Amino acid sequence: SAVRLGLPALGATFGCVLLNEAGRLRLAQTNGYTDAEVGTFHELPVEGEYPASVAQRTGKPVFIASRDELVERFPVMRELELGARVAWAALPLSGREETRGVLWLGFSDAQRFDAAARERMVGLAWYLGLALDRAQLFESEKSARARAEAANRTKDEFLALLGHELRNPLAPIVTSLGLMKARAPEALERERAVIERQVQHMIRLVDDLLDVARITRGKVVLRKERVELGHVVSAAVEVASPLLEQRRHRL
């Protein structure tokens, strides 16, 4: 939009946008140039002695009112095809924290570059830099959100896998406890009761873990039903019993 609408509004007949990427000014958009001309400046070094390079490094606009001034200040420009252009401007596209690139303008008519003209050009470059800044922030936010969502999915998959892996060894433990009780009901009754309580506690924790995984994946099903309050209290007492016994509390 800047090169299609902004350049004619400023009286420029040629122009391009060069974006700073890893120390190189890379051509992003042009207007008025031939393909052959574009091939001579599709990429410029930020550390070079080109008008656009200087504008990028210093963050200040560069105005050149004649061909003599151009080749005197920037001898390297002698190598480029100047065509019908007689004046130029390199305008830094300054974002909030850095210069994003340069708006390079070429004029077929002589330019005085008075204060009003400079203000219009610098203003357009400022708006363009601000737009680039917002676009990059939006892309960064979208990319960060995508990474966060991917990490969240990985976490949910891990929780679900962990829940299933933890549940697998609990089944044979419960079966073994049942066999022990059937073969010798009186043997190690207290120790077996402790193991049973802890196993049941582990089963509830694993079920909770699987519920969390289901909730985050939107697959949880809530079933409402009447329950005996005594059963709820008994389950809570069983969970707390090891800690109560350890600290010798009376319930």
Side-chain angles (χ1 to χ4, degrees), residues 16 28 50 88 153 169 187-188 235:
C16 66
Y50 297 89
W88 297 265
R153 285 194 301 270
L188 302 174

Side-chain angles (χ1 to χ4, degrees), residues 93-98 100 126-143:
L93 306 176
S94 300
R96 294 186 305 173
E97 299 179 356
E98 61 180 304
R100 302 285 182 189
W126 183 79
Y127 280 116
L128 180 55
L130 186 62
L132 287 170
D133 216 25
R134 289 178 174 173
Q136 188 169 42
L137 287 172
F138 176 76
E139 289 298 324
S140 298
E141 180 185 355
K142 186 166 66 172
S143 177

